[in-house]
Amino acid sequence: MNCVKMLLMIFVMGVGITAMAAGPPAGSPSGERSANPFQDRLDNFSVKDKSDPPAKHGVEFVGSSMLEGWSDVTAQMAPFLAFNRAIGGSKTADILSHLDQLVLQYEPRVVVLYSGINDVSEGISSETAAENIQKIIEGILSGLPGTRVIYIAILNTSNRSDSSGPIKDANSRVRTFAEKNPRVTYLDISGALVDGEGNTRSKFLTDDHSHYNTAAYEAMARVVKPVLEDVWLQ
């Protein structure tokens, strides 16, 4: 009888341990952590679009966290009908593989794109990052013949010296590509944000020293909006 009880206890403990191992991590509102946060954001956009779809032929800002954090972009780009579909943490391959859902379906007249920093920061070559950026732009131009693209050059927000070389190389490749296409504008906004040594001014950074604060976005708006006005009239 003692053996039976012991076996039963071992079985119950084993089931409990398995359940704990398979259970959801703490802190997730849904009780589960998604294996694809990028897809979760796309799904959230889809839900939002059903109740409050952005106007067609507007200005779409798309890319990674630098643009995602630009919460006042709609107001700062007025009277242009600007909307934000940037996803923090995204890489060029993410945007490229979801281009239809993320960009083309909205039929924007102008796309403001910022992508590539997460590629080079995570060890993806500058050649691959630049090639994907070109493919993204080509996909937009092909799918939306009347649309123009403003590409914002990659910024070294965290001032990491090991990233400066790949960033410069990727930017140079995209700039060469953009100069050959009249529907693409290459825009380097670093001059509004960096000091004489090429480092992002601390007054523009949040406490994590990797993302921009409100003052930075105000400075960006002063540079981006005039370019947007020119591109819109072309």
Side-chain angles (χ1 to χ4, degrees):
M1 189 67 177
N2 288 337
C3 291
V4 174
K5 289 182 178 180
M6 184 174 294
L7 289 172
L8 182 59
M9 289 177 62
I10 292 172
F11 174 77
V12 171
M13 291 176 63
V15 171
I17 292 172
T18 301
M20 290 174 64
S28 176
S30 63
E32 296 181 358
R33 179 175 295 169
S34 171
N36 189 348
F38 187 88
Q39 185 61 52
D40 285 350
R41 292 298 307 282
L42 287 176
D43 293 341
N44 289 339
F45 289 148
S46 295
V47 172
K48 181 178 180 180
D49 291 342
K50 290 178 181 178
S51 60
D52 185 24
K56 298 289 187 180
H57 313 302
V59 179
E60 179 177 3
F61 284 70
V62 64
S64 53
S65 60
M66 191 273 278
L67 290 186
E68 181 188 38
W70 200 341
S71 58
D72 293 331
V73 70
T74 299
Q76 291 174 336
M77 293 299 112
F80 298 105
L81 300 177
F83 62 101
N84 197 329
R85 288 297 180 269
I87 298 177
S90 64
K91 293 188 278 291
T92 57
D94 296 317
I95 296 174
L96 183 60
S97 61
H98 295 86
L99 197 60
D100 286 346
Q101 184 178 355
L102 196 58
V103 179
L104 301 186
Q105 68 159 331
Y106 297 116
E107 301 177 20
R109 180 172 172 179
V110 178
V111 175
V112 181
L113 171 67
Y114 179 79
S115 185
I117 183 60
N118 292 323
D119 293 60
V120 297
S121 296
E122 296 182 23
I124 296 173
S125 71
S126 54
E127 294 89 345
T128 298
E131 181 179 346
N132 282 347
I133 291 165
Q134 292 175 33
K135 288 179 179 178
I136 291 169
I137 296 173
E138 289 171 343
I140 294 171
L141 300 183
S142 175
L144 302 170
T147 296
R148 296 179 180 275
V149 176
I150 298 172
Y151 176 74
I152 296 179
I154 302 172
L155 298 160
N156 192 6
T157 316
S158 59
N159 298 329
R160 285 174 48 183
S161 58
D162 59 330
S163 295
S164 60
I167 287 174
K168 288 180 181 179
D169 183 65
N171 283 339
S172 176
R173 292 171 184 272
V174 178
R175 182 171 190 166
T176 299
F177 163 77
E179 289 174 345
K180 298 176 182 178
N181 195 313
R183 291 169 60 197
V184 182
T185 298
Y186 176 91
L187 177 58
D188 183 356
I189 65 172
S190 61
L193 303 167
V194 303
D195 58 23
E197 297 179 356
N199 295 320
T200 302
R201 296 184 176 92
S202 58
K203 68 177 183 179
F204 290 137
L205 296 174
T206 58
D207 292 340
D208 66 2
H209 299 289
S210 295
H211 294 89
Y212 293 113
N213 57 25
T214 301
Y217 288 113
E218 291 173 350
M220 289 182 200
R222 289 192 289 270
V223 177
V224 173
K225 191 170 184 179
V227 175
L228 173 57
E229 291 171 343
D230 289 341
V231 169
W232 188 270
L233 295 174
Q234 293 176 8

